[in-house]
Amino acid sequence: MPTRPTLFDVRVTMSVVQILKSARNAYSVVINAAPSGRNGVDAPAVRETRDLLATVTPHVCRQQITHRLVVGYATLMGAGVTEAEPSGRAATEYEMLWFELAAKLNLKVRGANHAS
């Protein structure tokens, strides 16, 4: 389930997580449209979002999806970020998110040894 690092989105996500938990549904929360980190450190808004979500769930993906212009550009082209800018940071983030989710689901995928 995607969530942005904003108060409104986090509050809604916290409520939805409670519903998913009560229904015993599997889920993971992905922080998206996030500000970029610096030197391997999450932006304060992302850190605070992780801290708030940790009060209701351990299922927050480590990999975030940063707000990047290429995402909208790729959409206009009818492509994914890995097609529009294969060696770009957005492509790397999406690939790392895929590897993280695949590992949680016990899927065997090529390149999954790169998961963090």
Side-chain angles (χ1 to χ4, degrees):
M1 153 182 18
T3 190
R4 293 177 185 207
T6 66
L7 183 59
F8 176 77
D9 286 272
V10 171
R11 283 189 175 175
V12 169
T13 298
M14 292 172 81
S15 296
V16 172
V17 162
Q18 295 301 333
I19 294 167
L20 292 169
K21 285 166 64 173
S22 69
R24 293 191 168 104
N25 287 337
Y27 66 92
S28 285
V29 179
V30 177
I31 299 173
N32 73 333
S36 61
R38 298 283 185 260
N39 301 318
V41 178
D42 287 339
V46 173
R47 231 180 5 258
E48 292 167 9
T49 297
R50 286 188 196 288
D51 290 346
L52 282 170
L53 291 172
T55 66
V56 295
T57 182
H59 303 294
V60 179
C61 291
R62 179 69 203 123
Q63 181 60 53
Q64 73 179 38
I65 297 299
T66 302
H67 177 75
R68 299 192 188 278
L69 293 177
V70 70
V71 176
Y73 178 69
T75 302
L76 289 173
M77 292 176 24
V81 293
T82 58
E83 297 165 306
E85 199 174 271
S87 59
R89 290 182 180 172
T92 300
E93 285 180 353
Y94 277 75
E95 289 170 353
M96 295 305 293
L97 177 60
W98 166 242
F99 295 145
E100 182 178 350
L101 292 171
K104 287 182 181 196
L105 295 169
N106 295 318
L107 300 176
K108 294 185 182 200
V109 295
R110 287 189 321 226
N113 58 335
H114 298 292
S116 54

